[in-house]
Amino acid sequence: MLPSEHRLRRREDFATAVRRGRRAGRPLLVVHLRSGATDPHVPGENTPPTRAGFVVSKAVGGAVVRNKVKRRLRHLMRTRVARLTPGSLVVVRALPGAGDADHAQLARDLDAALERLMGGGAR
């Protein structure tokens, strides 16, 4: 499970990540990343942890399917938040096919999207 200090909860944080961040789409997911850390040279300013949030709409499936997809995505992000810049905001939006996908397919799409956003992948 994703620790609570790494969870994105406020509406403003979701909006910031989606509107001001970069986006990478995959067949099952769209990942929005707003990378940014505070200036380490400013005294008294701490870098907040990387936080991730998830959007799983009714288009993905019923309540049971949506919650299953959210649990899988939270589990996948748990190991991946350490690779991101501290202070980053990540929003993972599940697309309708995510409800039928297995854990490995979600992991592949999430890894490919994050790799692209962090500058390692070509378009």
Side-chain angles (χ1 to χ4, degrees), residues 6-121:
H6 292 291
R7 292 187 191 161
L8 199 58
R9 291 194 175 94
R10 293 181 30 214
R11 179 185 192 109
E12 298 84 24
D13 293 337
F14 275 89
T16 299
V18 171
R19 291 186 186 136
R20 295 188 181 145
R22 296 176 59 213
R23 179 182 70 209
R26 304 297 305 155
L28 302 175
L29 307 168
V30 176
V31 179
H32 300 268
L33 173 66
R34 168 80 169 153
S35 60
T38 56
D39 188 358
H41 303 292
V42 176
E45 195 168 336
N46 294 331
T47 304
T50 299
R51 292 178 294 154
F54 306 95
V55 178
V56 184
S57 74
K58 288 184 180 180
V60 173
V64 173
V65 174
R66 291 194 313 267
N67 285 324
K68 180 176 71 170
V69 170
K70 282 188 274 192
R71 282 193 310 272
R72 285 179 174 173
L73 291 173
R74 278 196 305 264
H75 179 75
L76 291 169
M77 279 303 295
R78 179 181 179 192
T79 58
R80 289 157 178 83
V81 292
R83 296 189 302 190
L84 300 170
T85 307
S88 296
L89 302 176
V90 181
V91 173
V92 180
R93 184 167 43 96
L95 297 176
D100 299 326
D102 64 1
H103 190 77
Q105 290 171 316
L106 287 173
R108 274 194 303 272
D109 275 8
L110 183 60
D111 286 336
L114 288 174
E115 185 69 26
R116 182 172 167 197
L117 289 171
M118 292 188 304

